[in-house]
């Protein structure tokens, strides 16, 4: 059952991103919101790790969090709003939030 | 579709606002929210004692209006709430406390309500962290 | 009935997080729901033997963890990587948790109807 993983903590202070990346299954999704969008900063090991995940795993970022933080979302991340977040939560079989 | 939404973070955390915006989008798309469940620091969102600055977002008020407007089932974990001083009249009387800050539409109840909501709903979405 | 996997990343004495994650599992077990718990990252530290919570005037989380099987929560897992990162031997854990590598953890997450990471 494909899982949408939702991260919100900064990848520079919390291990959730690196732990989550190791636990992703084929066809899972990963949504970055809150401080987790800092993983999209250019020239960081975090973004390099995200760029290495298989194409079958879709990467998303919450639009307001990207815009608020002056981050240019890279091509590997699809920027979504709340209505799309709701639709994604139904597209995947379950949502695993990393609290 | 039926959603259950659980909030684990305090109103001053960004995830509280994120949970509310998500819940509003759920309703806007014609889905149903079978229950909101506040756990851990999320219980503070049900407190009427939070005072926000005039030019600041007031999440406890926005949550209350949202629940009232859509007649939702808003449940606050009683054990987590007692630990954090978020009491209703009944609990304030039971423990001889002078202040009660949790009123309708919020109800204090147990963690079984979270599990029940998860069983009823098509999706349980949890919000917490930063 | 929907099964629930709780991924527990809470260090034992950093606040009520560990206790409140455990309470979710115990409440589910009390309702005979299929619940499992995975100790990941700092959550693995909850399984360290010889802890003395009374030094911090804390209730004994370890004793409460022992209640999991009694509440019907006997699907207990711990990440081999999390243990190794923290220098914890797999052989001396306070719970009979199954030690799983990353591949097995991916299969575990796939299997459950609902997963929440605390």
């Amino acid at each position: 059952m494909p899982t949408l993983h939702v991260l919100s903590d900064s990848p520079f202070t919390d291990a959730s991103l690196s732990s989550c990346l190791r636990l992703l299954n084929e066809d899972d999704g990963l949504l970055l919101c809150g401080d987790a969008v800092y993983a999209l900063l250019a020239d960081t090991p975090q973004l390099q790790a995200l760029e290495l995940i298989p194409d079958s795993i879709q990467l998303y970022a919450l639009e307001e969090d990207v815009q608020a933080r002056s981050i240019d979302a890279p091509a590997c991340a699809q920027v979504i709003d709340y209505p799309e977040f709701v639709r994604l939560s139904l597209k995947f079989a379950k949502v695993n939030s990393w609290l | 579709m039926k959603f259950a939404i659980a909030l684990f973070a305090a109103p001053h955390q960004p995830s509280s606002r994120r949970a509310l915006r998500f819940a509003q989008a759920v309703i806007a798309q014609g889905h149903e929210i079978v229950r909101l469940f506040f756990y851990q620091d999320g219980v503070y969102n049900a407190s009427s004692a939070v005072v926000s600055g005039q030019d600041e977002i007031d999440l406890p008020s926005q949550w209350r209006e949202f629940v009232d407007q859509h007649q939702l089932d808003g449940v606050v974990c009683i054990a987590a709430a007692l630990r954090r001083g978020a009491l209703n009249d009944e609990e304030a009387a039971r423990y001889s406390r002078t202040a009660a800050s949790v009123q309708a539409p919020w109800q204090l109840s147990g963690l079984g309500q979270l599990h029940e909501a998860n069983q009823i709903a098509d999706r349980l979405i949890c919000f917490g962290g930063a | 009935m929907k099964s629930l996997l709780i991924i527990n990343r809470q260090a034992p004495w950093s606040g009520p997080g560990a206790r409140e994650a455990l309470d979710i599992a115990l409440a589910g077990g009390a309702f005979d729901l299929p619940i499992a718990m995975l100790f990941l990252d700092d959550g693995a530290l909850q399984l360290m033997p010889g802890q003395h919570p009374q030094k911090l005037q804390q209730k004994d989380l370890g004793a409460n963890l022992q209640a999991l099987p009694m509440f019907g929560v006997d699907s207990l897992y711990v990440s081999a990587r999390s243990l190794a990162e923290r220098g914890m031997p797999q052989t001396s854990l306070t719970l009979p948790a199954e030690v799983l590598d990353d591949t097995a953890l991916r299969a575990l997450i796939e299997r459950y109807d609902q997963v929440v990471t605390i």
Side-chain angles (χ1 to χ4, degrees), chain C residues 4-70:
Chain C
L4 170 65
L5 171 66
I6 300 164
I7 301 180
N8 190 328
R9 298 179 68 235
Q10 301 288 321
W13 316 117
S14 64
R19 171 68 216 210
E20 290 181 331
L22 173 63
D23 283 346
I24 296 178
L26 295 176
F31 287 98
D32 286 329
L33 297 171
I35 309 274
M37 186 171 275
L38 160 64
F39 296 90
L40 181 73
D41 294 340
D42 278 352
L45 297 169
Q46 294 184 37
L47 308 184
M48 178 99 73
Q51 303 192 57
H52 297 286
Q54 62 276 19
K55 294 283 180 192
L56 301 171
Q57 296 175 284
Q58 297 298 305
K59 277 173 68 173
D60 189 354
L61 177 72
N64 291 322
L65 286 168
Q66 301 301 323
L68 281 167
M70 283 182 275

Side-chain angles (χ1 to χ4, degrees), chain B residues 54-98:
Chain B
Q54 281 187 353
D55 53 352
E56 289 170 6
I57 185 169
D58 184 350
L59 263 307
S61 292
Q62 290 197 13
W63 275 113
R64 197 159 48 244
E65 284 161 21
F66 179 70
V67 169
D68 280 335
Q69 186 185 349
H70 300 287
Q71 300 284 297
L72 301 179
D73 185 21
V75 177
V76 181
C77 174
I78 187 165
L82 290 176
R83 204 173 276 143
R84 290 166 176 83
L87 314 184
N88 60 10
D89 284 334
E90 192 182 345
E91 298 307 315
R94 189 196 316 274
Y95 295 102
S96 306
R97 295 299 194 266
T98 51

Side-chain angles (χ1 to χ4, degrees), chain A residues 64-90:
Chain A
E64 62 179 24
D65 287 315
V66 172
Q67 292 178 343
R69 288 167 179 77
S70 181
I71 290 172
D72 291 322
C76 64
Q78 188 181 333
V79 176
I80 64 163
D81 59 13
Y82 281 100
E84 286 165 308
F85 184 0
V86 172
R87 283 190 284 274
L88 270 189
S89 73
L90 293 169

Side-chain angles (χ1 to χ4, degrees), chain A residues 4-7 29-34 37 40 58-68 71 73-92 95, chain B residues 17-18 21-22 25 29 125 127:
Chain A
L4 177 66
H5 295 265
V6 181
L7 297 179
L30 174 57
L31 168 60
L32 306 176
C33 50
V37 301
L40 300 175
Q58 187 64 51
L59 177 63
Y60 307 93
L62 197 58
E63 182 176 47
E64 62 179 24
D65 287 315
V66 172
Q67 292 178 343
I71 290 172
C76 64
Q78 188 181 333
V79 176
I80 64 163
D81 59 13
Y82 281 100
E84 286 165 308
F85 184 0
V86 172
R87 283 190 284 274
L88 270 189
S89 73
L90 293 169
K91 180 183 146 196
F92 288 88
V95 177
Chain B
R17 182 183 157 279
R18 194 176 307 128
R21 294 291 173 263
F22 182 89
Q29 288 181 30
I125 317 291
F127 290 88

Side-chain angles (χ1 to χ4, degrees), chain B residues 8 39-41 80 83-84 111-112 114-115 118-124 126, chain C residues 1-2 4 16-17 19-21 23-25 27-28 31 33 35 114 116 118:
Chain B
F8 290 63
Y39 191 49
Q40 297 195 323
D41 285 355
R83 204 173 276 143
R84 290 166 176 83
L111 274 168
L114 174 62
H115 287 291
N118 181 35
Q119 294 297 325
I120 298 169
D122 298 299
R123 291 290 183 281
L124 167 67
C126 301
Chain C
M1 272 193 296
K2 276 203 252 176
L4 170 65
R19 171 68 216 210
E20 290 181 331
D23 283 346
I24 296 178
F31 287 98
L33 297 171
I35 309 274
Q114 176 68 46
V116 59
I118 299 176

